[in-house]
Amino acid sequence: MYKDLSSGVKISITRSISTSFESYLASIDWDEKRFSMEDFIASWQTYFQENAAWIEKIPANVLLSTEFHEEMAQKIDEVIAKILNEEPTAKQIETIETLQKELGTKYTYACKAEAAYIEQLLKEKQK
């Protein structure tokens, strides 16, 4: 069912998952001990219901089907894995290291999205 959706809808779904996942992680300060898949899914549902036009482009019978929900769960897992496995850029690493020396902090980060969060956090502390 998911594979039958238009490429634009699939891109929008992926973007909504990515955006809400990164937003959710920022809301818990990227603390894996505080992570809850149920809380993330609730956050994502709120996000797409309030912000995503793609939900209106999918027929109700598809939205309610078990098969579609299983495919969406798989898509969520894929998007999360991609986010968590994307390496920080050299520029992010350089910027974070410079800011940490200046501010005397020792934040760790494991992926590009977390590095973006840490970089923003450090820039806020710098102000």
Side-chain angles (χ1 to χ4, degrees):
M1 298 185 127
Y2 176 81
K3 67 182 181 314
D4 297 330
L5 298 174
S6 73
S7 63
V9 169
K10 290 190 273 192
I11 289 167
S12 293
I13 290 171
T14 300
R15 190 175 303 121
S16 73
I17 295 167
S18 298
T19 300
S20 58
F21 184 67
E22 290 177 29
S23 177
Y24 170 73
L25 287 174
S27 77
I28 62 168
D29 299 318
W30 278 80
D31 183 349
E32 62 189 58
K33 293 175 189 152
R34 294 174 53 198
F35 180 81
S36 161
M37 183 59 89
E38 293 79 18
D39 290 347
F40 161 64
I41 295 297
S43 172
W44 176 59
Q45 288 174 332
T46 299
Y47 175 84
F48 74 69
Q49 289 169 350
E50 294 175 357
N51 303 300
W54 63 262
I55 194 77
E56 298 165 4
K57 296 178 181 174
I58 301 175
N61 66 317
V62 172
L63 287 173
L64 296 172
S65 89
T66 302
E67 179 183 351
F68 183 72
H69 284 262
E70 290 169 356
E71 290 171 346
M72 289 306 299
Q74 181 178 352
K75 185 65 180 174
I76 290 167
D77 288 346
E78 290 170 5
V79 171
I80 289 172
K82 183 178 179 187
I83 290 169
L84 296 178
N85 289 310
E86 189 173 7
E87 296 288 326
T89 66
K91 180 159 179 38
Q92 284 178 311
I93 293 168
E94 179 184 339
T95 301
I96 291 170
E97 286 178 5
T98 300
L99 289 168
Q100 294 215 86
K101 284 179 187 172
E102 179 183 322
L103 298 168
T105 60
K106 295 188 186 293
Y107 290 104
T108 60
Y109 49 93
C111 66
K112 183 178 179 180
E114 187 177 17
Y117 170 77
I118 296 298
E119 184 176 354
Q120 184 62 36
L121 183 73
L122 291 170
K123 286 179 178 179
E124 289 295 320
K125 285 184 180 228
Q126 189 182 37
K127 290 180 183 178

